[in-house]
Amino acid sequence: MAQVYRGGQPYPAGHPGRLTPHEVRTREFAARRRGVDPDEVREFQARVADVLAELHRRVRMLIQENDRIKRALRDWQTMHARECRPPQEYHTNEGHW
């Protein structure tokens, strides 16, 4: 796989880094003879950057929620493990199950 670069730095493991709203808003394009309206491009960039910023916010929120749920599960498992009787108290036979 060819190495892809962004900002002079290679992508980690060939995967693109996270695109920021700032990068979208400030991206410059070369002028062409039959180019597009620069105002429309800027308007579109602003819309894309706003959506991207909202997605980044949601990802951060979901990461925090995921961490909270993991901590709650770990706490519950710890509490449950303390309350459980040792396996020898369940059955008097010596079978594996």
Side-chain angles (χ1 to χ4, degrees):
M1 170 186 252
Q3 188 69 31
V4 180
Y5 289 85
R6 176 176 177 189
Q9 298 296 320
Y11 288 131
H15 297 290
R18 185 160 61 159
L19 185 65
T20 66
H22 176 73
E23 288 176 297
V24 173
R25 288 184 208 282
T26 60
R27 176 71 160 96
E28 296 286 332
F29 299 93
R32 297 284 182 231
R33 184 175 177 184
R34 292 183 171 203
V36 293
D37 181 5
D39 293 334
E40 287 182 26
V41 171
R42 292 287 177 222
E43 183 180 317
F44 180 75
Q45 283 178 303
R47 286 178 38 215
V48 170
D50 290 343
V51 169
L52 192 57
E54 175 61 18
L55 291 173
H56 284 250
R57 186 192 68 75
R58 286 184 184 181
V59 166
R60 281 191 307 275
M61 182 184 69
L62 291 171
I63 288 170
Q64 291 171 352
E65 179 69 4
N66 187 35
D67 289 342
R68 186 192 67 78
I69 291 169
K70 283 180 182 178
R71 281 192 309 274
L73 176 60
R74 202 170 22 251
D75 292 346
W76 181 87
Q77 288 172 327
T78 301
M79 180 187 68
H80 183 70
R82 287 181 192 142
E83 294 174 358
C84 286
R85 291 177 290 165
Q88 62 270 19
E89 293 181 19
Y90 286 109
H91 303 288
T92 55
N93 67 5
E94 295 181 14
H96 180 68
W97 302 100

